[in-house]
Amino acid sequence: MTDLSTDTAEELGALDAATSAEAGSAPAGGALWHTVRHRFLSFPFALRAVLTVVVFTLVVLPFYRLILGSFQEGGPPERGPLTLQNYRDTFNKSSDIIGNTLEFAIGQTVVPLVIGVLLAWVVTRTDVPWRGVWEFSTIGLYFIPLLAAGTAWSILLGGRNGMLNEVIRTLTPWDGFDVYSMPGMIFVQSLYLVPLVFLVVAASMRNVSPDYEHAARINGASPLSVFFRVTLGVSRPALLSAAVLCFIIGLGSMEIPLLFGFPAKEHVFTTDIFHALRVRMPREHGRAAATGVVLLAASLVVLIMYLRSIRHSDRYVTVSGKGSQETPTRLGRWRWAVFTACCGFFFFTMILPFIAVVVGSLLPYIGRPDAELLAQSSLENYRQLSDNPILWRSLRNSLTLSLGAGLFVMVFSALVAYSVVRFKGRWSRMIDYGASLPLMVPAVVMATSLLYTYITLELPGGFSIYGTLWIMAMAYVVYFLPVGVRQMTGPVVQLSADLEHAGRISGAGNLATMARIVLPILRPALLGGLILAFITYMREFTLSVLLFRSGTEVITTVMYSFYNNGRLPFVAAISVGLWIAGMLLMVILRFVLKARITF
Amino acid sequence: MVRPEVTPSEDLLALRADDLHKKFGAVTALAGVSFSIRTGEFVTLLGPSGCGKSTILRILAGIETPTRGAVAIGGKVVNDTERRILVPPERRDLSMVFQSYAVWPHMSVAANVAFPLRYRKVPRRQRRDRVTEALRAVRMESYVDRYPHQLSGGQQQRVAVARSIVGHPALLLLDEPLSNLDARLREDMRVELKRLHLELGLTMLYVTHDQSEALAMSDRILVMDHGLVLQEGTPEEVYRAPASLTVARFLGVKNIVAGRVAGDGTVEALGGSLRATLAEPMAPGAAAAVAIRPDGFALAADGAPGPAISGEIRLAQFLGGAYEHEIDTGGTTVIAQSPQRLGGRGDTVALSIDPEAVIAFPADDPAP
Ligand SMILES: Nc1ncnc2c1ncn2[C@@H]1O[C@H](COP(=O)(O)OP(=O)(O)O)[C@@H](O)[C@H]1O
Ligand SMILES: [Mg+2]
């Protein structure tokens, strides 16, 4: 009984009252040592201390640096005197940027919301044929890198040379549709945000008891008004949170604005930050920081509006619908019309773009797809790419980062979920808030703030993490952390504390119980989360393009530089590879691991 | 308050719990519980749900800390709030069977059972034999390679028991281990657990809310309510001489009737004068609550001793081993059990009541 390390899964206060000094015979300094040992070396304390330090380093500190730096002359990383000049610059230069940013963010919120809700309703509440196929293919859209999809639409509808535009011009009196425009940006971005809306809304609609709908039908409501008044009404909180999610993605994501907005001269804040930080000389750090803070403020406003509007969401708690699969709304003669619409959506989001990247990858240049051009198709692009050392390096970087950051973020998320569920209390809740904060932060702001915090940091030995894979890994971890914690909370809640107690009583200490019992039992959930994190990282572009340097390129940044240099066929070839890999992962996740994908 | 040191003469005690208190916020789960268990003894904590039984076990195991009190296992103090001693669960020489089984789903049966051996410094070579031995003891040796999800609830329970005995712990704690099993299995398992206790010479602390389990298995029973031990004794003692009306009720005495002390070891009840045991001294004329065990009734005509009362049989049921009757004795209905049929529905019979089966308590005895 010399070692008195204590650590039941309860509030420290109670433990402390019971054991706040060394055993009777201890020397005078014993009481202090005992307190140190029991309070500060206890497992719940140590675990939460580690989690707190990591969350602080990755989340809190960077935002503090960003906000502070935006008020300093010259901006971060210099620590100049306080000033408002950065904000004046931001607003002077960018009156149309504000408008564009809002237009893009709102457009790419409304469109996927409409499509996603309709699809969720069709899949969960109606008798349309092949519901499983539509669900699978909609979720599958998340597994396609947005950069690859953007490439595909660039090949199809990019300006006069877009293949589809060429065809349209030849066959009809119209000019086609230029995707290098604000409507084009919104259109493409929206198609690939649909899976996000779908996942959130479908999960909520599955929980709507069909009795609500039946009750309304019996009372004389038409199927359409049942949909609007009952199904949508009950799913309102889910709709709102999907909308907030989309809006914040719209404020912060870089792919489509950079690919399409640039040629169209439709600038938004994200591209503006990109130019301030990575293109213009001298760098405009102050303005970039101020712009980041403005974006942060905008998402905060949206978040507050959201929280206010779901204040009474208790009202929406619904009886879980056991029979919702068995008693769908009968569409009657609309059934085949809806089926056709689903086929159309599938064709326009998956088949047509995939054909485009495949064809594009075989051609020497993109243009009118006539016999002359098609005759030149070959595997030459693939051959040239396979000789490109930077591509291989970037692929290795992408895989290393995605696996490494993915493993770390999932284990870390499991530990956060564990301490929230097991230790409860205010401290654990603060950790949870900290880990969830990044959900409300546009990606571009996340990258900017990490950049400012760690650009000047020098570790012992002159080692700087700026320009290494480490800073990118940090950004990746922050980016997925909120989703990871959500993924792990359910499984941890289901984990009976008795399983751990049995381990302790069998002789295993705290760490051994964690390593041999808790984490292994959570392994299926961890693996599912890891795959989701992996795919999220492989498609990630916004963070990477702000943080990479020569040597730490990832696959998406290499695609972008090819795109920027007009090598669209190369980008198409890489897209084909990522597309196929994404679909394979999706199939593995769904049919081998049988994981249900949720956010 | 100064507690006596644990002295060498107490070495035979497998467990000693001293003045355990536990508060969960405003809820008092334990209000001062003390008891000890001798090596090799089978002791049962019996009490209604929520009375604090699990809390005691969790404190003994070290999963929970008491607000106040001390615990010694095998003569070694593992917890003493005053001397600020708290040994973590992994270094107390005991094991526990949980109500939820807590068999680890990611490990095979063999791995589950072998787990405690890893920490008890059992050489790798011996582990397999010990696992086999433990599994044989619970008749599960043919399931070594199965995983928990391939086992029924009863089989998982056996694995949990095997895991708890494999390390030869000084003390085995069982928290309502049978409550999730169906009736048939519960009977079988009850016999098996008792057999293990005898064959392996285990020291067991068993928790249940089922009085028949407690009566059947225990060397000693501690009857609990509201975080206190109400009575302690052998099954016969607590059954025959409950110390309070609550204990009597909890042990399944269904007949509690109003009466009056008549002096001379008799009470007036059920329209007659009954010989009774007085639970405590009571003045003649005092109001009493009279507990009558159902097995104390017999037909007066059969020459049973004691004064008789008369009543009308309302219902007679055959239970297999005995008959149970509902008898109306002038407005008060009592339950009488006897090996023979006392009569048919509507019969009026004269009954004598065994004085041993009649215990009178003061009427203001707080009812639960
Ligand atoms: N972790 C806890 N937090 C708050 N109250 C608790 C906790 N554990 C037990 N209790 C309360 O303590 C009392 C005793 O519980 P318990 O020991 O589980 O009873 P039993 O096992 O006899 O059914 C109950 O009133 C219960 O509600
Ligand atoms: Mg209990």
Side-chain angles (χ1 to χ4, degrees), chain B residues 190-204:
Chain B
R190 190 175 81 190
V191 176
E192 300 258 318
L193 282 177
K194 186 65 192 174
R195 183 178 57 76
L196 282 178
H197 168 242
L198 296 172
E199 281 177 6
L200 303 179
L202 292 167
T203 310
M204 288 172 142

Side-chain angles (χ1 to χ4, degrees), chain A residues 254-271:
Chain A
M254 194 87 87
E255 292 93 334
I256 299 301
L258 222 45
L259 254 51
F260 299 168
F262 215 56
K265 303 210 164 41
E266 298 276 14
H267 298 301
V268 294
F269 274 136
T270 44
T271 45

Side-chain angles (χ1 to χ4, degrees), chain A residues 6-20 38 42 44, chain B residues 65 86:
Chain A
T6 70
D7 37 81
T8 56
E10 57 176 32
E11 277 304 307
L12 275 168
L15 257 178
D16 194 48
T19 62
S20 55
H38 282 268
S42 78
Chain B
T65 47
L86 183 54

Side-chain angles (χ1 to χ4, degrees), chain A residues 47-58 60 412 427 431:
Chain A
L47 177 61
R48 283 183 289 185
V50 170
L51 297 180
T52 306
V53 168
V54 175
V55 168
F56 185 82
T57 320
L58 290 180
V60 182
F412 190 78
W427 189 9
I431 296 174

Side-chain angles (χ1 to χ4, degrees), chain B residues 90-102:
Chain B
E90 63 268 25
R91 275 182 292 106
R92 302 183 173 198
D93 186 17
L94 50 74
S95 62
M96 183 159 169
V97 178
F98 292 86
Q99 188 171 3
S100 59
Y101 315 146

Side-chain angles (χ1 to χ4, degrees), chain A residues 1 3-6 8 10 15 18-21 23-24 498-499 501-509 512 516-517 520-521, chain B residues 61-65 77 81 83-84 86-91 94-96 98 100 102-106 115-116 118-119 163:
Chain A
M1 67 198 186
D3 185 340
L4 303 177
S5 58
T6 70
T8 56
E10 57 176 32
L15 257 178
T19 62
S20 55
D498 281 350
L499 295 168
H501 296 153
R504 299 293 304 281
I505 291 170
S506 297
R516 294 221 164 90
I517 294 174
I521 293 179
Chain B
I63 303 166
E64 197 86 73
T65 47
V77 179
T81 51
R83 286 159 60 203
R84 281 149 179 158
L86 183 54
V87 175
E90 63 268 25
R91 275 182 292 106
L94 50 74
S95 62
M96 183 159 169
F98 292 86
S100 59
V103 175
W104 300 304
H106 63 300
F115 192 84
R118 179 199 293 270
Y119 297 98
R163 183 178 68 190

